[in-house]
Amino acid sequence: KAGVTQTPRYLIKTRGQQVTLSCSPISGHRSVSWYQQTPGQGLQFLFEYFSETQRNKGNFPGRFSGRQFSNSRSEMNVSTLELGDSALYLCASSLESSGIYNEQFFGPGTRLTVL
Amino acid sequence: AQKVTQAQTEISVVEKEDVTLDCVYETRDTTYYLFWYKQPPSGELVFLIRRNSFDEQNEISGRYSWNFQKSTSSFNFTITASQVVDSAVYFCALSEAFTGGGNKLTFGTGTQLKVEL
């Protein structure tokens, strides 16, 4: 079974631009979560999508948004880029099931550099 | 709010030494899961272990072992006879469930492990 894939792997943008990152979950996984990793703030939860709906959200400004398609693929968008948005963006997918825990499988990440 | 503390920012050891990575967590949940992930320079988070709050048995997997103690809210990770390939950043994480479904991981700040020849 193929793992979580993310495209592109590397991206360079300038301040003020917007960017779209893509994530394809493991086949059969319906939940996709996004995390931001920076040297200063570490790994932080951005949001989670399930059944094409944003189900949970972390503490990030509205410039960060996302969506999920019917095939569970997800995109995240960052508008009006700031230097501080430079980070590794990790996507994780999980198989929705009852109970507290759904194991998250991570992709390789997209490294975004904002100049 | 949930919190995970990894007080060791960086550890350097010589190959074949044993090394323990510390993790202390805070949660008000009675049911929770703890994890360790390895992040090599490539960036991908590699899952190492999951432990639920009701299972305090220590676990050993090859050169890796984990010590979970609810009384001290700690979930420490030991690598025996370290190797250069163990060099990476290691993250401890705590799973938090949302009322409406789904869960998120709260990560510690990570410990950079450097194993030298």
Side-chain angles (χ1 to χ4, degrees):
Chain A
K1 206 179 231 187
V4 178
T5 58
Q6 292 186 245
T7 56
R9 293 293 312 277
Y10 301 90
L11 206 48
I12 299 175
K13 291 286 188 179
T14 56
R15 277 182 298 175
Q17 288 187 310
Q18 75 166 19
V19 66
T20 299
L21 312 181
S22 180
C23 171
S24 292
I26 292 172
S27 178
H29 285 195
R30 297 166 60 194
S31 169
V32 174
S33 298
W34 289 88
Y35 292 82
Q36 180 197 61
Q37 184 178 20
T38 61
Q41 299 299 316
L43 277 154
Q44 293 185 290
F45 172 75
L46 277 157
F47 32 62
E48 182 227 359
Y49 284 85
F50 175 72
S51 289
E52 302 177 61
T53 302
Q54 187 182 89
R55 183 163 63 173
N56 297 296
K57 190 176 187 307
N59 296 323
F60 279 82
R63 299 186 298 107
F64 292 83
S65 63
R67 59 178 175 168
Q68 186 180 34
F69 302 93
S70 58
N71 61 358
S72 294
R73 189 177 72 84
S74 177
E75 290 181 346
M76 70 162 280
N77 183 277
V78 188
S79 62
T80 319
L81 284 166
E82 300 176 0
L83 294 179
D85 297 332
S86 294
L88 179 67
Y89 290 88
L90 291 161
C91 165
S93 75
S94 62
L95 184 66
E96 180 70 5
S97 61
S98 61
I100 185 177
Y101 176 66
N102 291 286
E103 183 169 359
Q104 298 191 19
F105 296 84
F106 285 84
T110 293
R111 188 166 294 281
L112 171 65
T113 301
V114 182
L115 302 175
Chain B
Q2 308 217 348
K3 185 178 179 182
V4 176
T5 301
Q6 293 179 256
Q8 304 151 308
T9 304
E10 186 173 317
I11 300 176
S12 289
V13 299
V14 176
E15 202 176 40
K16 296 183 183 175
E17 283 186 11
D18 298 347
V19 58
T20 295
L21 309 182
D22 298 333
C23 173
V24 174
Y25 63 92
E26 294 176 30
T27 180
R28 284 185 284 187
D29 294 343
T30 54
T31 303
Y32 51 89
Y33 287 81
L34 292 160
F35 307 82
W36 276 95
Y37 284 88
K38 174 181 179 180
Q39 187 176 45
S42 61
E44 185 169 353
L45 284 172
V46 178
F47 168 79
L48 295 177
I49 190 172
R50 175 184 78 222
R51 173 66 73 223
N52 75 53
S53 52
F54 297 111
D55 182 2
E56 289 193 68
Q57 277 192 321
N58 291 332
E59 180 157 339
I60 297 174
S61 175
R63 295 184 297 106
Y64 296 169
S65 62
W66 291 269
N67 182 283
F68 175 33
Q69 293 194 338
K70 279 179 80 171
S71 60
T72 56
S73 296
S74 65
F75 186 42
N76 297 336
F77 172 31
T78 297
I79 301 175
T80 302
S82 60
Q83 300 176 1
V84 172
V85 293
D86 295 327
S87 297
V89 181
Y90 291 85
F91 290 94
C92 180
L94 176 62
S95 178
E96 174 185 356
F98 291 106
T99 305
N103 62 76
K104 74 168 188 178
L105 294 172
T106 298
F107 288 88
T109 50
T111 298
Q112 170 81 61
L113 174 63
K114 294 184 179 179
V115 182
E116 299 164 335
L117 291 171

